[in-house]
Amino acid sequence: MTAASGLGAAFEDRFGVPPTHVARAPGRVNLIGEHTDYNDLPVFPMALHREVRIALRPRDDERVALYNVSDEFPPVEFEIGPAIEPYVQGSWGNYPKAAANELARRFAIWRGFDGVLSSDLPVASGLSSSSAIVNAVGLALAHINEVPTEVREFAVVMADAERYVGTHGGGMDQAISLGARDRCAAKITFSPLRLRHVNVPDDWCFIVADTGERAEKSKAAMAAYNSRRAECAEAFRIVAGHVATTNMTEKLYTSYPGLVGAVEPRTLVEAAEQVLQGNLLRRFRHVVTEAARVEEAVDRMYAADVTGFGALMDASHASLRSDFHVSSVELDELVAVAREGGAAGARLTGAGFGGCIVALADRWTVGSVLETLVAEYFERRGLADRIDDRLFVAVPSRGASYGAIES
Ligand code: GLA
């Protein structure tokens, strides 16, 4: 970025001097592995070409003053510290506060910044626009205060940071937004955090389509999300105890990865059927089968097997709908329309409860999928305005960065 660019000019209008630095962090689309991260099981996302950017100038005191170029989001101003008072729940300003609060809890940071933020990520649509804000602000504060930003450690700090807003999320969004590479997706494993970068085949197109239904992570969806997490933990406790006492495993496992590594998925689900009923059984079945699908999907991508990868996406969606109960009428419809248009597979992406789907097509079919989505979903529902924000082909992009602006 140069000081003369749009964001630089917006900064200068606001503060009367040019910005000196820019922090940027991309959103992400999760290809497969949904609601597995907080169970310490793998995910397979990629970073988007859409991102949050902050033009900024470090300050010599502990204040952060951050303006959003969109009028929808009021200015944010606060003092850095380890116990920052949050705004009312649902305010966008809690995301910058989250980063500052966590960094101050862990490190001696005291310098803030003046900044202007812009984002071309659709809000509350399952593309991690909020984690991108946390990461961009966190990266800026870390650089200004000389805090280490090595991806694997910093992503864990940022994941802890975001819990400030009240969602007990996993670590996928922060890790991919910070650590992604150009043209790659990454298989991410947790505890300890590791990213394995996998080239996305040149002729694969991941289409992102937004239902138009907002899935506010900080609002109603938060309770539903947090309860899924609690159910997964409860189901795990019961099944791990059961398989240990019936000698299917040699020891009592304390985490999903241990258990999933010891017993193959089908046997594990059969064991769960003996001790779980209803939603607990459904949640467990989703988590275990989804983890297996991630492993398989990574192999399918290495083999450039578009059909195989697509079938796994379809199976993931069915499981998220019927076992995990996080789909919606709109998400199901969008998935169905994408398949009708010729997609190799499609599924909801992100936490669900609204937001986006991701569909896979090869370069020869992508045009037909896009046309079908426009005609059969967006036009029918009167959502064909701002279509480029609602429907696009994701470009696998590099992770977040911080740097000086050329003058
Ligand atoms: C949200 C959370 C992630 C992950 C997904 C579901 O995006 O922030 O950590 O749990 O939902 O896969």
Side-chain angles (χ1 to χ4, degrees), residues 135-156:
N135 278 345
V137 171
L139 209 53
L141 288 174
H143 278 275
I144 294 167
N145 291 282
E146 293 172 11
V147 165
T149 57
E150 195 276 321
V151 168
R152 283 176 306 178
E153 278 161 31
F154 197 65
V156 173

Side-chain angles (χ1 to χ4, degrees), residues 73-393:
F73 304 103
V76 165
E77 195 159 350
F78 61 89
E79 209 154 277
I80 298 169
I84 305 172
E85 183 72 25
Y87 294 114
V88 293
Q89 207 171 71
S91 308
W92 85 280
N94 283 336
Y95 294 104
K97 282 187 169 180
N101 192 76
E102 188 63 26
L103 286 170
R105 269 175 20 85
R106 295 178 181 238
F107 305 97
I109 70 162
W110 61 272
R111 287 187 75 192
F113 63 83
D114 291 331
V116 174
L117 179 150
S118 75
S119 170
D120 58 357
L121 281 161
V123 174
S125 14
L127 302 179
S128 290
S129 59
S130 44
S131 301
I133 298 175
V134 176
N135 278 345
V137 171
L139 209 53
L141 288 174
H143 278 275
I144 294 167
N145 291 282
E146 293 172 11
V147 165
T149 57
E150 195 276 321
V151 168
R152 283 176 306 178
E153 278 161 31
F154 197 65
V156 173
V157 179
M158 290 297 100
D160 285 347
E162 200 167 324
R163 299 195 182 107
Y164 174 88
V165 305
T167 308
H168 304 295
M172 159 170 67
D173 309 343
Q174 299 77 10
I176 191 68
S177 172
L178 288 165
R181 291 198 187 147
D182 264 331
R183 293 189 290 277
C184 291
K187 177 189 169 190
I188 304 177
T189 45
F190 301 92
S191 305
L193 185 71
R194 293 272 178 279
L195 281 82
R196 187 161 124 215
H197 302 280
V198 183
N199 272 306
V200 178
D202 282 345
D203 55 6
W204 285 26
C205 302
F206 285 103
I207 298 163
V208 174
D210 191 346
T211 55
E213 228 193 324
R214 282 193 162 197
E216 300 272 5
K217 236 198 321 182
S218 53
K219 294 189 179 157
M222 180 155 77
Y225 180 95
N226 290 345
S227 74
R228 296 297 183 287
R229 184 173 181 145
E231 288 167 341
C232 290
E234 175 66 359
F236 171 81
R237 200 184 52 75
I238 296 170
V239 178
H242 173 62
V243 296
T245 48
T246 53
N247 293 327
M248 269 173 71
T249 53
E250 281 168 10
K251 61 176 197 176
L252 178 62
Y253 283 100
T254 53
S255 72
Y256 270 102
L259 188 61
V260 163
V263 186
E264 65 94 30
R266 187 190 297 255
T267 316
L268 206 46
V269 171
E270 279 167 13
E273 282 164 356
Q274 294 166 10
V275 282
L276 298 177
Q277 296 86 36
N279 282 346
L280 281 194
L281 175 59
R282 294 192 186 96
R283 308 301 189 243
F284 186 84
R285 187 163 53 206
H286 167 73
V287 167
V288 168
T289 58
E290 185 76 351
R293 282 187 286 273
V294 172
E295 305 295 346
E296 181 65 23
V298 172
D299 290 346
R300 295 300 95 220
M301 189 177 280
Y302 275 123
D305 173 4
V306 75
T307 311
F309 197 102
L312 291 162
M313 293 171 78
D314 287 348
S316 168
H317 186 77
S319 177
L320 287 160
R321 186 191 57 225
S322 312
D323 276 348
F324 221 67
H325 299 158
V326 291
S327 193
S328 66
V329 174
E330 289 82 357
L331 285 164
D332 289 346
E333 189 184 330
L334 211 39
V335 160
V337 173
R339 287 186 199 137
E340 211 179 287
R347 54 183 291 280
L348 70 84
T349 187
F353 317 108
C356 288
I357 66 149
V358 56
L360 172 61
D362 61 28
R363 110 161 44 123
W364 300 275
T365 326
V366 64
S368 133
V369 180
L370 292 170
E371 273 168 32
T372 311
L373 285 166
V374 171
E376 302 297 327
Y377 185 88
F378 293 101
E379 282 176 355
R380 281 200 181 173
R381 288 180 176 251
L383 295 171
D385 62 313
R386 298 190 296 105
I387 194 70
D388 295 345
D389 284 336
R390 303 183 193 276
L391 179 66
F392 55 87
V393 176

Side-chain angles (χ1 to χ4, degrees), residues 28 34-35 37-38 169-170 172-173 217 225 350-351:
R28 62 101 186 95
E34 220 63 86
H35 291 275
D37 63 350
Y38 53 79
M172 159 170 67
D173 309 343
K217 236 198 321 182
Y225 180 95

